[in-house]
Amino acid sequence: MADQVEEKKKIKGIEDLSGVGQAILNKLVDSGYSTLEAVAVASPQDLSVAAGIPLTTAQRIIKEARDALDIRFKTALEVKKERINVRKVTTSSQALDGLLGGGIETTTMTEFFGEFGSGKTQICHQISVNVQLPLEKGGLLGKAVYIDTEGTFRWERIEAMAKAQGLDPDAAMNNIYYMRAINTDHQIAIGEDLQELIQKDQAIKIVIVDSITSHFRAEYTGRENLATRQQKHNKHRHQLVRLAEIYDTAVIVTNQVMARPDMFYGDPTVAVGGHTLYHVPGIRVQVKKSRGNKRIARMVDAPHLPEGEVVFAITENGIRDAEE
């Protein structure tokens, strides 16, 4: 048993699979099978043709990849134990942490949606700093990846938040990988490159996309483009969810809202993305403006958390509990 565990630890990429030499490796990569995940979910027939290997060899490689990723049937008790051990990053607000069940979860996508100025980007900045904190302070001693689609990332806020947390500002900024996504294709390509980046730097514990919908909304206008937009958007979300699950990272995405003129009761705004949002697992939180620096966060959807609403504040030092 110990030997099997040790064997799983050794396999970190497709080049570590037995029988995959340089020639087969090149064929697999050229055919799009560049990761363990891609190999693990491939059909033996497709892999056999792509790599030019016997069907039995393809089957063995696929099984080895699945074993390395621990893709198998599990008991409900095993799932419970895994969930109990899920790690969390503090938001620096006890109220907001409470709403989220203790903070931002790893292995999960958390979405914050709301109107402009509601605090979505401020939360993203705060989490990219807090993930660097030690465990006893609500961090993971990790690094962050920040994908900025709207040009709203500000190093000045990172510096202020880092100082408030007792971190060296330059060191904190050095622990955040930043990329400005220019359009939807670029955004999706960055998502594909994330796997390689996380494999190289396993200290990465959070991936942030702020916002996930802005380019899709701008580029695919009109009803005739709606289906294409939804398909690409849905694919991108699932791409990020898989990263979270495989590499035990937290994923945060922000989203915009649009008006619903047919709503006569309740909140007349709804998150951009339509029904595709409900096909992607994760936690969804709506944030709204309140008086002064106060903001309201409402739990909209989470498979394991109750609905609720809390108030937090955005201060010079970052996200904090609202003063009564």
Side-chain angles (χ1 to χ4, degrees), residues 15 24 68 88 132 149 179 195 276 304:
E15 65 278 4
I24 293 177
K88 298 175 182 180
Q132 304 178 44
T149 69
M179 178 74 81
Q195 187 150 330
T276 58
H304 59 296

Side-chain angles (χ1 to χ4, degrees), residues 213-232:
T213 50
S214 59
H215 285 321
F216 290 91
R217 194 179 187 186
E219 292 174 34
Y220 295 93
T221 58
R223 285 192 171 275
E224 67 276 11
N225 292 315
L226 183 59
T228 303
R229 183 182 85 177
Q230 300 297 68
Q231 285 175 348
K232 291 186 73 172

